[in-house]
Amino acid sequence: MASAAYAGLVSAMTLANELALGAAPPERAGSAAAVLESGQELGGALGMALPGSIGAAVYTAAMPVSAPAAARETLGGAGGLARRPRRGAVRLRLGHGGAALGAAVLMALAAVVSVVVLRGRS
């Protein structure tokens, strides 16, 4: 599944790079490439940090106040607990793939925006 997503992402990024660098004057191509690369790095970092932070906040909010500190702070600490309800909470957070679903929705939205904005440009 991930390889299909990466194949689509690489194809889209190749076309976007070609459009962006093709629109820049030849004497400014280096600057355009630097801005494009910086934007890609920032987007990649935010794409990992934001879903992770949201997932951690949701996980922490779902843990009961009576849970030990290690369980509230780390997923590993919660997995080590012997009580079934807490293990169920860990399975709930890992099993439903909320971050993956959110990423899929964002990628689909980005695809629609790309088609609308880039249609007819060459």
Side-chain angles (χ1 to χ4, degrees), residues 13-118:
M13 289 179 68
T14 301
L15 293 173
N17 287 347
E18 178 64 29
L19 281 171
L21 293 177
E27 64 273 5
R28 304 288 299 190
S31 298
V35 168
L36 191 61
E37 180 66 23
S38 297
Q40 289 172 352
E41 291 294 327
L42 177 64
L46 289 176
M48 286 185 273
L50 289 178
S53 298
I54 292 168
V58 168
Y59 167 76
T60 303
M63 288 302 287
V65 177
S66 61
R72 286 193 310 270
E73 293 173 4
T74 66
L75 198 54
L81 294 176
R83 294 187 184 163
R84 188 168 181 73
R86 291 196 181 101
R87 275 195 271 154
V90 171
R91 247 184 305 209
L92 176 69
R93 297 296 165 234
L94 293 176
H96 287 278
L101 180 62
V105 168
L106 286 175
M107 287 180 83
L109 181 63
V112 170
V113 168
S114 296
V115 167
V116 169
V117 170
L118 300 177

